Amino acid sequence: YFVLRNGHRYEGIPGTTNFQVVEFAEHGIPYRLPDAEDLEREPQAKTTTDLFGSDNAEDIAELHWRFGIPLATIVLAIIAVPLSRTQPRQGRYSRLIIGLLVFIVYFNLLIAAKAWIEQGQVNASLGLWWVHGGMLTVGLLLLAAQNGWHKRIVRIRKIS
């Protein structure tokens, strides 16, 4: 029972003769709580240990998402290093737009890949790792270009 105390109960349509106001000291309304066992929690509400043992595609996608966000922070930091370097006569914020576009593309790919895992279009074992791997490769290639590693490789080939 849901119990109300010291209140008023209004019945009918206000302004008509068929209207009643009932004052009560205590009024009980029957109420049934749903069974706790019947409720299925959303994947976002489950603990990480619950997600590990699940075969549900939504749970697997959520698990990949939880591990992927901290990894995305590291990958974006690697990409930010070469994008932050500018030439002396170049504007300070010239590469800010490029960095913002990289971030938007990266997170849109992550969100799309999570949805693909939930729908079963992408293999669950592959997960979001292909997105992180691709962006990490882009970051490492940008670092290599910034540090001139491609020129060193060409010199080594010319010498031998």
Side-chain angles (χ1 to χ4, degrees):
Y1 277 93
F2 181 67
V3 179
L4 301 170
R5 298 175 199 258
N6 299 327
H8 302 279
R9 181 176 172 180
Y10 302 97
E11 294 179 2
I13 301 171
T16 64
T17 57
N18 192 10
F19 187 73
Q20 290 181 335
V21 177
V22 179
E23 292 184 23
F24 57 87
E26 187 173 288
H27 181 59
I29 302 170
Y31 180 74
R32 182 174 170 246
L33 291 173
D35 294 334
E37 298 166 4
D38 293 343
L39 297 177
E40 180 65 27
R41 291 188 297 172
E42 296 280 328
Q44 295 87 359
K46 292 181 181 180
T47 63
T48 304
T49 53
D50 290 342
L51 295 175
F52 266 117
S54 177
D55 292 333
N56 186 5
E58 290 180 359
D59 292 346
I60 294 170
E62 178 64 25
L63 183 65
H64 281 277
W65 183 260
R66 288 185 189 181
F67 286 117
I69 295 301
L71 183 62
T73 305
I74 295 168
V75 171
L76 285 171
I78 291 171
I79 292 173
V81 171
L83 288 181
S84 66
R85 189 173 189 184
T86 59
Q87 299 299 325
R89 295 192 182 255
Q90 200 174 14
R92 279 189 203 174
Y93 304 108
S94 62
R95 296 205 177 175
L96 184 66
I97 299 297
I98 297 170
L100 188 59
L101 288 174
V102 167
F103 173 79
I104 290 170
V105 166
Y106 190 16
F107 271 91
N108 278 335
L109 276 173
L110 285 175
I111 291 168
K114 182 181 178 200
W116 293 335
I117 294 170
E118 290 171 351
Q119 296 167 2
Q121 295 176 349
V122 172
N123 189 357
S125 61
L126 182 62
L128 300 177
W129 304 115
W130 63 273
V131 179
H132 297 300
M135 293 306 283
L136 182 62
T137 303
V138 167
L140 293 176
L141 288 174
L142 287 172
L143 276 173
Q146 174 187 342
N147 293 322
W149 292 345
H150 61 287
K151 293 177 186 176
R152 293 179 193 156
I153 292 172
V154 171
R155 283 187 209 149
I156 292 171
R157 286 185 183 166
K158 287 182 181 178
I159 293 173
S160 48

